[in-house]
Amino acid sequence: MKVTKICCIGAGYVGGPTMAVIAKNNPNIKVTIVDINQERIDAWNDSDVSNLPIYEPGLAEIVEETRGKNLFFSTEINKAIDESEMIFISVNTPTKTYGKGKGMAADLKYVELCARNIAKVAQTDKIVVEKSTLPVRTAQAIKSILDHTGSDVKFDILSNPEFLAEGTAIQDLLNPDRVLIGGESEDAIESLANIYGSWVPQAQILRTNVWSSELSKLTANAFLAQRISSINAISELCEKTEANVDEVAKAIGMDSRIGPKFLKSSVGFGGSCFQKDILNLVYIARSYNLQAVADYWEQVIILNDHQKRRFADNLISTLYNTVSGKKIGFLGWAFKKDTNDTRESAAIYVADHLLNEQASIAVYDPKVSDSKIQSDLNYLNTRSEEENSKLIQGSATPYDALKDAHAVAIMTEWDEFKTYDWKKIYTQMKKPAFIFDGRNLLDKSTMEKIGFEYTSIGQ
Ligand code: UDX
Ligand code: UDX
């Protein structure tokens, strides 16, 4: 099928950047991103691109270049579905918070709603592309809904999981290691391969069956997260044995069979994907009664929770076993640098634990607002909104966050944290002035020379 119009349902962290890059590289294809959230669409249409709803290096420039030419943002979902030959589903698939599979399975209600809507609106044949991360065999459900419309419209379903990482989304999209397309219809697969082919070499466009494609996405995220939990497990052992986890990571990473990436020990991984996808993998394995498989992958999450908890406990015990009434300055709230996304950020859980111990927290993150910090904590429901807003506040500058603090907790690896005037920070803090570096970002000997009591991970 010759594709001249594409629609993407879901203007989020995946849909937005992916469609912007497709539009940039396919000037003859009209790309419309639709969303039920009017406010989000308005932000995508804001004439000042610094107000886009998501922050990604390089994104604003591409939106500025393509928006209004062949990239459009709209809430007119039905119109966009109707006029497009290809429809991407890129809505969120959070972990279920109710019913069967609560806390484990992916909630597919938004995906199903999209499929039903496409079935209702479509008058002409469509290629439907699953972009959202879905449990293996979801395409079956989508196909079943689309095949029971009673009309003679033909639907081809493709799985095209996204491997971009936030913070580097544009680079990952422009230079992907591979593009994965799973499907039955060769014609549909080639239609999508041609769109990517305008900038990705064909050899890097992998064609598989739908189920391999769906499962590969879950597996890739599980393997990546597993590496972090593995090195984090070793970090605790390093702290007992005077080994240095960064040295261990370097030494093992130079083995070409292991490789150097994703071996950075940290306060724990966050983000919208790793935990959700592994829980989902565990749930699927259990549903096939594969207990050993499920237990194996679940351990990745258990270790990650342990790492976050251990960081908070260590901070409390170092501050003479109490943080009650003490000011703790957080540097960073996002789940990693170069993004304003805070979903599942380790900072949220560490803060919650410290607030239970009656600490008072001031947070500085270059891209996260106070209202986001409040809503992240309120979502946990540990205490009332009033209590949260009394105990934790976002600060306008790092120096405000750290003034009179007993300790600094580095939660995100933003580059700018390294460039601060740490001597000035030291003079403005309570003494002894502690740094708990959850990202091994600062230089230990420099900090100790200034006078800080410096603790990092796995050292
Ligand atoms: C994506 C993927 O879709 C998810 O499966 C993957 O695991 C993580 O990345 P993401 O783009 O990060 O999700 O989600 P989000 O930023 O929440 O965007 C989803 C958008 O879909 C939201 O703007 C939401 O308003 C929209 N949406 C949701 C719809 O337009 N219609 C719906 O029915 C539901
Ligand atoms: C991940 C996958 O990398 C991506 O391919 C997939 O499409 C979506 O999920 P993302 O969650 O955006 O991407 O970011 P990623 O760079 O993978 O980082 C996830 C978390 O792991 C962050 O909290 C990060 O700080 C942490 N991390 C990463 C470490 O603690 N150590 C590392 O070595 C790497």
Side-chain angles (χ1 to χ4, degrees), residues 145-166:
I145 291 168
L146 293 175
D147 283 350
H148 287 85
T149 57
S151 72
D152 52 8
V153 174
K154 182 170 157 276
F155 295 98
D156 284 311
I157 294 151
L158 299 177
S159 161
N160 173 224
E162 190 45 70
F163 295 104
L164 66 81
E166 288 174 30

Side-chain angles (χ1 to χ4, degrees), residues 8-17 34-38 40-41 44 54 77 89-94 109-111 113-114 131-134 162 164 166 217 221 272-274 276-277 341 343:
C8 171
I9 310 177
Y13 282 89
V14 170
V34 292
D35 202 294
I36 47 173
N37 182 337
Q38 181 73 51
R40 211 169 210 194
I41 290 298
W44 279 111
I54 68 175
I77 300 177
I89 300 182
S90 189
V91 296
N92 40 334
T93 50
K109 100 178 143 196
Y110 303 124
V111 172
L113 280 174
C114 285
K131 200 50 154 163
S132 300
T133 306
L134 298 169
E162 190 45 70
L164 66 81
E166 288 174 30
K217 169 71 196 236
N221 276 347
S272 69
C273 287
F274 283 173
K276 165 173 77 73
D277 290 354
D341 193 352
R343 287 176 289 182

Side-chain angles (χ1 to χ4, degrees), residues 14 133 162-168 172 178 217 220-221 224 228 231-232 260-274 277 334-337 344-346 413 439:
V14 170
T133 306
E162 190 45 70
F163 295 104
L164 66 81
E166 288 174 30
T168 54
D172 295 344
R178 76 315 203 179
K217 169 71 196 236
N221 276 347
L224 291 168
I228 304 169
I231 199 71
N232 280 343
K261 295 182 183 163
F262 269 72
L263 287 179
K264 183 76 187 159
S265 188
S266 66
V267 55
F269 61 73
S272 69
C273 287
F274 283 173
D277 290 354
F335 82 100
K336 61 185 284 197
K337 73 171 178 178
E344 294 300 329
S345 178
E413 73 283 22
R439 297 289 183 165

